[in-house]
Amino acid sequence: MSDATFGLPVAPAKATPAARHARSEAITAWLLSLPAILSYLLLLLLPTLAAVALAFTDYELGADSVRWIGLENFAELWTDRGFRQSFVNTVFYVGVVTPGSILGALVIALLIEAGVRGRTLFRAVFFLPVVSLTVAMASAWQYLLHPTIGPLNGMLRQLGIAGPAWLSDSGMVMWSLAGIGIWENLGFNLVLFLAGLTAIPRELYAAAEVDGARSAWARFRLVTWPLLGPTTLFVLTITMIRSVRVFDTVKVLTQGGPNKASEVLLHSMYQEGFTFFRLGYSAAITLVFLAIVLALMWLQTRVLDKRVHYG
Amino acid sequence: MSGIRIEGLVRDYGGSRVLKGVSLQVGPGEFVALVGPSGCGKSTLMRMIAGIDRPDAGQIHINGREVTGLRPAARDVAMVFQSYALYPHLTVAENIAVPLALRRLTTAQRLPLVGGLMPGARAARRQIEADVAQAAESLGLGHLQGRRPGQLSGGQRQRVALARAIVRRPAAFLMDEPLSNLDAALRVQTRREIVDIHRRAGAATLYVTHDQAEALTMADRVAVMQGGEILQVASPEAIYADPADLRVACFIGSPRINTLAAEADSQGFVRVAGMATGLRAPMTGAITLALRPEDLQPVAHGLPAVAEGIEFLGESLLLHARLEDGTGLVLRIAPENRGHLAAGARLALGFDPARALLFGADGKRLPARIQAAEPALV
């Protein structure tokens, strides 16, 4: 800050009061942000950089020497059928869970909003999976989906249908996991949609009716959907990132089986890093995961954001 | 009978009666202002005419057709909302086109991309575009058609809302305090424009406002509403000079009309503070005598009062005075008649009995006869 010397060659022995004030303010600002900066560096930036560095080495836990191997880990990933399977499975999981839990949440939110009573009850019921512990809930799912003693197949038997082995049939297991994923994410999305719906001015619906929007669908197209745009974008991003991160249900229910049919990115990373101790290779998987998450965030901020905020 | 006709509208909200059997008629091409304080039920009434709210009893007719049970879309009315209620994701042109697109195009024709391929869609779209351009142009929005509402000023948004209302040429316009979100200067200017739009469109218009200046300057007739009922419907001049109810007299006019406690003796001669007024009422007992600020003047002999302060308004002065019984009064006097008036000065107040308004104890207007049997205050 140049404090108004208007070009005069003034060179005071001491700083002016204004300049001193500005400097002490700057020092205070740095001191106040220091804890946040330090924890960001120590807990986020350094580990990330360490992972990036590890990804280019052959480091294994307990190994005597570390060798810089460049892109070898990535080359191995490219040819690793197990990794390819886990990548495809993760994409499948995201592709099913994201639209499923978003559309489901939107429909239920509209029904709850249109209903007269029970708003709080329904909100609580659908939000319950979000606040409950996934590992504990996974055990409940394990029982529900058990091929012989599970209630689901029990009900199907009543209808004369032989239910599949939900978690041990390699063609079925990803669908089952995605179903659980939808159940997990739906409540969270529902609460976001309900909040978004309350923010829409009532007068817009009145205007739409007077303007000739006779059907509920016409009003949805004209008012609800466009005005929910920012909410939907946020829900979309958060659901995609949450479902890319799928791990605990896989770890508890299938451990990637049968025969890697339910292997997903984070589970592969965990296996390589903490079961086989190939930390370099595991770090390479982490980088792939990181790239996907960053790409999704970029998609939100750069591309979609412009289309849903009507400044 | 065209225009808007409502009969005996009743509405209850949670035990309290918001509308107490309201009847009102807006003739074809007429501009009626519905004015009243906040919470008097005027917006509720308007929402019922639009069909956004339903009455518990009563009937609504628009252009000779009963519409009480119809959806808003079937009523052929256009409404301008206080918040403008523009669709934020649509451009100005798209906003104005909404009522036309929803009426002239089928659901299939409105579909994005494929809609244009439906038979007849292209011609209908072209006609809509032409109508929208014309409406936008007539309100001076031609150069703003591609903007979104968020990029417009309050006055421009207000014009878009008006354009969206007129583009369809509806049987009736409903305007719910359309100027209350504008700043004072713009409000005065937009008043004239709305009257112009009304004249060109020629449809029955009901205009809700809490601002009496808007009601008096814009409307052919003014309906004064209070406590869920309409007290009087009359021309602006009659509402001001010839109010039927004390509440109307008090609501219309700024500064507020002066009210004096008066007494009609056994023969009906009206006295104020023990002094004869030269007026005779058709009843006896306690009544109210009301005088507009410009109808009270300082005189040589009259009601004794003390001046409390003077406000200079340019073309006139407002003199605040207090009678001996504590009644506060406001006089509007010409600056040249100020004389030596100053705060604290004693003065006497008089009035022309022909200008005085008498109201009974129930607030209803009483006919007054001027009777010079006794010496009058002048």
Side-chain angles (χ1 to χ4, degrees):
Chain A
M1 284 288 159
S2 67
D3 270 303
T5 46
F6 295 111
L8 288 172
V10 184
K14 281 193 232 166
T16 62
R20 242 181 304 150
H21 177 74
R23 206 175 57 213
S24 84
E25 205 166 79
I27 290 170
T28 316
W30 279 106
L31 279 175
L32 286 173
S33 0
L34 201 60
I37 294 173
L38 272 182
S39 55
Y40 176 77
L41 285 176
L42 285 175
L43 301 175
L44 222 68
L45 203 59
L46 280 179
T48 310
L49 290 176
V52 171
L54 273 180
F56 298 95
T57 67
D58 66 350
Y59 181 63
E60 293 186 17
L61 202 63
D64 301 328
S65 64
V66 181
R67 203 159 51 85
W68 187 265
I69 55 168
L71 292 172
E72 252 176 56
N73 277 332
F74 296 95
E76 192 184 337
L77 279 181
W78 187 248
T79 52
D80 183 346
R81 285 203 35 231
F83 172 77
R84 203 172 284 182
Q85 178 73 43
S86 80
F87 187 85
V88 169
N89 280 346
T90 307
V91 171
F92 172 88
Y93 184 86
V94 174
V96 173
V97 170
T98 307
S101 63
I102 291 180
L103 285 178
L106 181 60
V107 168
I108 295 169
L110 289 170
L111 288 176
I112 292 178
E113 184 69 14
V116 189
R117 282 184 302 165
R119 200 171 293 195
T120 337
L121 173 75
F122 284 118
R123 200 164 43 192
V125 166
F126 285 105
F127 197 64
L128 223 55
V130 182
V131 291
S132 53
L133 201 63
T134 317
V135 176
M137 288 295 127
S139 314
W141 277 106
Q142 191 153 35
Y143 165 67
L144 280 173
L145 298 178
H146 194 280
T148 48
I149 60 161
L152 182 60
N153 275 4
M155 276 197 298
L156 288 177
R157 263 196 301 279
Q158 298 285 321
L159 299 171
I161 304 167
W166 297 101
L167 293 172
S168 41
D169 178 340
S170 56
M172 203 65 219
V173 63
M174 278 317 293
W175 286 104
S176 303
L177 288 173
I180 298 172
I182 291 175
W183 170 84
E184 260 187 298
N185 282 294
L186 189 105
F188 189 63
N189 295 348
L190 175 80
V191 169
L192 290 172
F193 274 127
L194 280 175
L197 285 174
T198 355
I200 299 177
R202 299 288 107 191
E203 275 205 333
L204 279 183
Y205 288 105
E209 286 230 26
V210 174
D211 281 344
R214 288 159 193 260
S215 63
W217 171 247
R219 286 192 295 280
F220 177 80
R221 283 281 298 133
L222 183 60
V223 179
T224 314
W225 180 245
L227 271 88
L228 272 184
T231 310
T232 312
L233 173 61
F234 179 72
V235 168
L236 178 70
T237 320
I238 213 96
T239 312
M240 285 174 92
I241 291 176
R242 277 164 63 104
S243 46
V244 174
R245 290 194 327 209
V246 59
F247 173 74
D248 27 18
T249 45
V250 174
K251 174 75 183 133
V252 174
L253 292 175
T254 67
Q255 265 122 53
N259 192 22
K260 300 206 177 222
S262 65
E263 198 63 70
V264 292
L265 273 186
L266 282 202
H267 192 257
S268 303
M269 184 194 98
Y270 170 83
Q271 290 273 2
E272 293 294 343
F274 299 96
T275 310
F276 310 133
F277 299 120
R278 299 177 61 198
L279 285 186
Y281 194 62
S282 167
I285 301 178
T286 312
L287 280 200
V288 172
F289 169 76
L290 202 65
I292 293 173
V293 172
L294 287 177
L296 290 177
M297 284 170 67
W298 178 83
L299 194 71
Q300 180 201 352
T301 51
R302 285 301 138 111
V303 185
L304 295 171
D305 219 26
K306 298 232 171 10
R307 302 188 45 187
V308 294
H309 288 107
Y310 321 110
Chain B
M1 180 60 218
S2 47
I4 307 170
R5 185 162 57 88
I6 57 176
E7 269 168 26
L9 279 196
V10 173
R11 183 70 164 108
D12 296 314
Y13 272 122
S16 71
R17 184 151 286 198
V18 183
L19 291 183
K20 301 169 182 169
V22 174
S23 299
L24 180 67
Q25 186 149 353
V26 183
E30 195 184 19
F31 192 119
V32 171
L34 186 60
V35 66
S38 310
C40 72
K42 55 190 194 299
S43 285
T44 308
L45 180 62
M46 169 147 294
R47 293 171 66 83
M48 279 176 187
I49 299 172
I52 305 161
D53 202 343
R54 293 290 162 87
D56 292 318
Q59 289 190 331
I60 302 163
H61 298 260
I62 293 170
N63 263 5
R65 192 166 59 108
E66 197 194 331
V67 299
T68 320
L70 296 184
R71 301 291 306 266
R75 295 190 175 201
D76 198 18
V77 297
M79 186 158 170
V80 178
F81 293 83
Q82 185 176 356
S83 65
Y84 314 139
L86 300 177
Y87 308 111
H89 58 293
L90 300 180
T91 63
V92 168
E94 287 164 346
N95 261 288
I96 301 172
V98 164
L100 297 180
L102 284 171
R103 281 182 165 77
R104 295 187 192 164
L105 301 178
T106 62
T107 309
Q109 286 174 333
R110 282 202 306 273
L111 285 176
L113 303 176
V114 289
L117 305 174
M118 298 291 156
R122 205 150 307 159
R125 284 251 176 234
R126 258 201 301 277
Q127 185 55 46
I128 288 174
E129 271 167 37
D131 290 354
V132 166
Q134 197 199 339
E137 211 57 62
S138 74
L139 280 153
L141 294 166
H143 59 297
L144 298 172
Q145 287 190 54
R147 301 261 188 99
R148 292 229 173 100
Q151 302 164 311
L152 302 180
S153 69
Q156 289 167 336
R157 283 182 215 181
Q158 216 268 335
R159 279 159 201 270
V160 178
L162 282 171
R164 188 175 65 179
I166 62 168
V167 72
R168 195 163 54 79
R169 306 183 184 286
F173 286 119
L174 305 172
M175 303 197 187
D176 190 5
E177 310 222 8
L179 303 184
S180 60
N181 286 342
L182 300 182
D183 62 59
L186 203 53
R187 211 178 298 166
V188 173
Q189 182 196 333
T190 314
R191 272 191 216 159
R192 300 285 2 127
E193 289 183 23
I194 290 183
V195 172
D196 277 346
I197 290 168
H198 161 76
R199 203 162 293 151
R200 269 181 279 152
T205 301
L206 185 63
Y207 184 100
V208 161
T209 179
H210 65 269
D211 181 348
Q212 47 161 308
E214 279 174 25
L216 294 177
T217 52
M218 297 168 78
D220 299 320
R221 286 192 303 148
V222 176
V224 180
M225 193 165 179
Q226 229 169 75
E229 50 192 338
I230 290 182
L231 301 174
Q232 187 176 5
V233 188
S235 70
E237 295 80 7
I239 285 279
Y240 185 79
D242 196 13
D245 192 289
L246 184 56
R247 287 174 289 174
V248 175
C250 287
F251 186 74
I252 299 293
S254 173
R256 220 174 95 116
I257 197 166
N258 296 298
T259 56
L260 299 160
E263 186 78 24
D265 66 16
S266 55
Q267 291 172 292
F269 289 108
V270 177
R271 291 172 167 275
V272 173
M275 299 182 82
T277 58
L279 287 163
R280 194 169 179 185
M283 61 171 291
T284 62
I287 60 172
T288 303
L289 188 151
L291 285 160
R292 295 282 175 200
E294 57 271 26
D295 293 333
L296 257 179
Q297 293 297 326
V299 289
H301 301 287
L303 295 166
V306 178
E308 292 198 319
I310 292 177
E311 291 171 30
F312 179 64
L313 295 181
E315 83 289 355
S316 64
L317 297 174
L318 292 184
L319 171 65
H320 296 265
R322 197 166 288 282
L323 294 183
E324 282 169 341
D325 66 354
T327 311
L329 298 172
V330 183
L331 288 72
R332 189 192 295 277
I333 52 181
E336 59 269 24
N337 295 344
R338 178 172 181 169
H340 300 294
L341 286 174
R346 306 200 146 271
L347 67 159
L349 303 177
F351 56 88
D352 176 358
R355 312 285 298 175
L357 307 170
L358 297 184
F359 296 94
D362 59 352
K364 294 276 170 275
R365 178 79 177 279
L366 299 173
R369 269 186 301 148
I370 298 171
Q371 194 106 20
E374 289 190 314
L377 277 172
V378 167

